[in-house]
């Protein structure tokens, strides 16, 4: 907690300093005057005038884009209320790792009690969603999606008939968790895995983002309830949901189409 408070205080100080600088720049911009050398006509003083457009054009948007460089967006996060007591979750919460010392946590009905599992914070019931997981040095994991009604008080296989659509690394072998599990052809160790859910089309797919999004495997199922991001691990090496880059877009008048704001 002391470490978190220190980081938060440092972040607040940085933002305060940034706001002070931006405020001063905007004040200076408002006070700018056009300069012209006495006794010289416009044709003879090219470049002497301050480029007002350069400094003031879309000033607020350009400031916002600079702020975004210091802000991270994670498409999905973990639900601490579902985490097994042997899982340690980061304060974000975007990463998890196994610990042999169980935490003392409330015995709420959402929590997994038999296996080191956790679900995502938000249930997904329409549209297309994707996220990238950094698996790093973790050698014992399962990841994918699970439906709301999965069993949490008994140990079951993370397979479709039990409400799970997942892939795993177990005993140095990658498997699609079908019934029975199917070995996957992976030539090199996966450092990252991209999970893509299309709820409307009933598809869960896995890709290798380090190899031009090479498809690893996929499931097809007609979903009838919400599904959540799903993790299992018994490794002390963390699994982490990676943040995504954000950009500023504007809605083009009359077309309804967004466009990215250039630098």
């Amino acid at each position: 907690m002391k470490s978190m408070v220190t980081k938060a205080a440092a972040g607040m100080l940085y933002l305060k300093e940034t706001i002070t600088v931006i405020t001063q720049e905007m004040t200076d911009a408002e006070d700018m005057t056009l300069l012209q050398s006495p006794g010289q006509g416009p044709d003879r003083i090219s470049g002497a005038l301050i480029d007002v457009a350069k400094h003031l054009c879309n000033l607020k948007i350009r400031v916002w884009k600079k702020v975004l460089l210091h802000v991270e967006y994670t498409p999905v996060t973990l639900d601490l209320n579902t985490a097994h007591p042997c899982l340690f979750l980061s304060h974000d919460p975007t990463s998890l790792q196994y610990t042999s010392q169980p935490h003392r946590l409330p015995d709420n009905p959402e929590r997994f009690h038999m296996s080191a599992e956790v679900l995502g914070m938000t249930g997904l019931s329409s549209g297309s969603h994707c996220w990238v997981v950094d698996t790093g040095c973790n050698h014992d994991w399962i990841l994918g999606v699970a439906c709301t009604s999965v069993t949490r008080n008994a140990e079951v296989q993370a397979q479709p008939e039990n409400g799970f659509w997942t892939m795993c690394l177990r005993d140095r072998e990658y498997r699609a968790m079908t019934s029975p599990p199917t070995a996957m052809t992976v030539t090199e160790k996966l450092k990252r895995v991209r999970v893509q859910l299309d709820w409307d089309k009933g598809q869960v797919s896995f890709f290798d983002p380090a190899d031009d999004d090479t498809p690893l495997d996929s499931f097809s199922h007609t979903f009838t309830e919400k599904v959540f991001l799903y993790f299992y691990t018994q490794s002390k090496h963390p699994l982490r949901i990676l943040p995504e880059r954000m950009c500023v877009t504007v809605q083009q008048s009359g077309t309804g189409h967004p466009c990215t704001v250039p630098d």
Side-chain angles (χ1 to χ4, degrees):
M1 290 298 296
K2 289 182 179 179
S3 175
M4 291 170 60
V5 170
T6 301
K7 289 181 180 179
M12 292 174 64
L13 178 61
Y14 172 78
L15 287 175
K16 184 177 179 180
E17 292 176 348
T18 302
I19 291 171
T20 301
V21 172
I22 293 172
T23 302
Q24 184 61 47
E25 288 182 355
M26 295 180 71
T27 301
D28 294 343
E30 292 175 356
D31 294 340
M32 283 191 301
T33 57
L34 299 180
L35 302 179
Q36 181 174 342
S37 300
Q40 292 182 334
D43 294 338
R44 301 180 59 187
I45 56 172
S46 175
L49 298 179
I50 294 175
D51 191 344
V52 179
K54 176 181 178 181
H55 293 282
L56 297 184
C57 182
N58 293 317
L59 177 61
K60 292 182 179 180
I61 291 294
R62 289 190 285 112
V63 170
W64 177 237
K65 291 192 71 174
K66 290 183 179 180
V67 171
L68 288 183
L69 296 175
H70 303 280
V71 177
E72 291 186 341
Y73 165 72
T74 306
V76 287
T77 55
L78 304 171
D79 185 355
L80 282 76
N81 291 331
T82 67
H84 185 275
C86 284
L87 287 180
F88 174 78
L89 273 59
S90 61
H91 68 278
D92 306 12
T94 59
S95 70
L96 69 152
Q97 61 192 101
Y98 184 81
T99 174
S100 56
Q101 298 296 326
H103 305 287
R104 298 185 64 180
L105 299 173
D107 188 16
N108 53 299
E110 300 90 354
R111 193 175 306 284
F112 287 96
H113 297 285
M114 300 299 294
S115 187
E117 303 166 275
V118 65
L119 295 180
M121 177 68 70
T122 306
L124 308 172
S125 57
S126 65
S128 181
H129 312 268
C130 69
W131 54 92
V132 177
V133 179
D134 183 353
T135 56
C137 297
N138 191 304
H139 58 273
D140 184 10
W141 51 257
I142 304 175
L143 60 86
V145 300
C147 63
T148 307
S149 59
V150 293
T151 301
R152 309 190 191 204
N153 289 315
E155 192 168 350
V156 298
Q157 294 294 316
Q159 296 171 330
E161 64 268 24
N162 297 322
F164 300 85
W165 296 270
T166 63
M167 65 170 289
C168 77
L169 172 60
R170 181 68 56 79
D171 299 326
R172 298 184 179 181
E173 183 179 42
Y174 295 97
R175 305 170 192 165
M177 293 298 287
T178 51
S179 302
T182 305
M184 302 169 65
T185 303
V186 178
T187 56
E188 296 184 5
K189 186 181 188 303
L190 295 175
K191 296 291 184 66
R192 297 178 177 181
V193 176
R194 184 167 72 87
V195 184
Q196 181 167 314
L197 165 70
D198 192 323
W199 196 95
D200 300 317
K201 293 182 179 180
Q203 292 182 337
V204 180
S205 305
F206 301 92
F207 303 86
D208 179 3
D211 190 17
D212 296 327
D213 268 348
T214 300
L216 298 171
D217 213 302
S218 63
F219 294 85
S220 295
H221 178 79
T222 301
F223 297 112
T224 57
E225 58 181 302
K226 289 182 179 180
V227 297
F228 296 79
L229 165 151
Y230 169 82
F231 279 115
Y232 160 91
T233 187
Q234 279 199 332
S235 170
K236 294 183 179 181
H237 296 287
L239 298 170
R240 185 166 67 99
I241 306 165
L242 295 179
E244 295 185 352
R245 180 179 180 272
M246 294 195 295
C247 65
V248 177
T249 60
V250 295
Q251 198 78 15
Q252 289 184 316
S253 177
T255 65
H257 300 299
C259 65
T260 302
V261 178
D263 293 330

